[in-house]
Structure formats: C-alpha cells, structure tokens
Amino acid sequence: MPALNLTPAERKALRGQAHHLDPVVLVGSDGLTPAVLKEADAALKAHGLIKVRMFSDSRSDRMAALQNMADSLNAGAVQHIGKLLVLWRPVVVAASPEHNARMAGPRVVKILKFSKSGNHRPQIQKVKVFGNQRVTAGGSIKRAKTRVTSVKKKGID
C-alpha cells in the first residue's frame, strides 16, 4: 500500500493539529515490529492523526521507520521532528443505520419519594415509562401532551 501524498498546506494544517497531541505509540530498541505496526494501525483507525515516539538515536533509522510506517499503514508522513514522528490517515466513518420515525421506547426510571417526616429514608420506586409518558416533578407519571402551537402558525400550514 503506498503512502498518502500530502500537499504542503495540508501538512502545515496537520502539524498544527498534532502540536498538542501526546505520543500514543512507542517504538523501542527492537524497531518496527509487527506489534508496533498493529498498534499504530489501531490508533490511526481510532484517531486519524497520531504521534509516535521512537527511541532510536540514529536520524536515518527514524526517517526510514517513518517512511516504512507510512507505506505499510497507507498513511501520510506529516512530520519528523527529533524523536517524534507524526502520521495521518483519514478516519473511515461507518454508515449509521437509517433513522426510523418511531417514538421513544420504554425505559426504567427511578422515582424517589421522601417521607413527610424527616426521620425515614426516601422510598425508591422503579417504574417503566413508555414513550408517550413523562415523569412530573412530584414523581407521578403523566401522558405527554402534544405541543401547543400558535393560531397564526396553524393558519400558515
């Protein structure tokens, strides 16, 4: 998989976004192992823009590692500054299911009823509230009313 090619303007914008990030992947003395690439891939899937800290003292090794990671992960090499490497890959947004025009389903609500004398504990009551019901401030359940609209708006529709 080839690395993504970024324009200088895109690279500049991504450097600005990555400035406040902390490294999420650390590359130790073993170098780029399959486990490191797997973690970097998972981080790119979750965040899109990541920093990688590499503890190698050789600049050429770090440059080679950045290119290798960008090629193998299908990401764009944004920046190499010191021992920090910045990679970017667009996050794939999962398709959400189509929203049906259904009402809210039933839910369980806890209602606290305090005693009239302050000596007893409040009673906790679990009640199932359906989509067309609401809990009032006093703790009773009422059917939700339709929203009142003005006479003027009714005439327009």
Side-chain angles (χ1 to χ4, degrees), residues 12-117:
K12 182 178 181 180
L14 290 170
R15 277 197 317 256
Q17 291 175 11
H19 179 72
H20 72 282
L21 296 179
D22 292 325
V24 292
V25 178
L26 303 175
V27 180
S29 61
D30 292 340
L32 288 180
T33 61
V36 170
L37 290 174
K38 183 179 176 184
E39 285 300 315
D41 187 39
L44 282 170
K45 282 181 186 173
H47 305 290
L49 182 66
I50 63 168
K51 274 188 183 176
V52 178
R53 182 175 298 276
M54 190 164 179
F55 293 111
S56 173
D57 288 330
S58 173
R59 181 176 173 81
S60 60
D61 288 346
R62 293 192 304 264
M63 288 293 290
L66 179 63
Q67 285 304 318
N68 189 1
M69 286 178 79
D71 289 337
S72 62
L73 298 175
N74 195 20
V78 175
Q79 185 179 23
H80 167 233
I81 183 163
K83 294 185 178 186
L84 290 176
L85 314 173
V86 180
L87 293 168
W88 174 77
R89 183 173 66 194
V91 178
V92 178
V93 178
S96 61
E98 202 173 294
H99 179 67
N100 295 335
R102 294 175 44 186
M103 297 297 287
R107 62 190 186 280
V108 176
V109 177
K110 289 182 185 177
I111 298 176
L112 285 174
K113 292 211 175 187
F114 295 97
S115 66
K116 295 194 181 195
S117 67

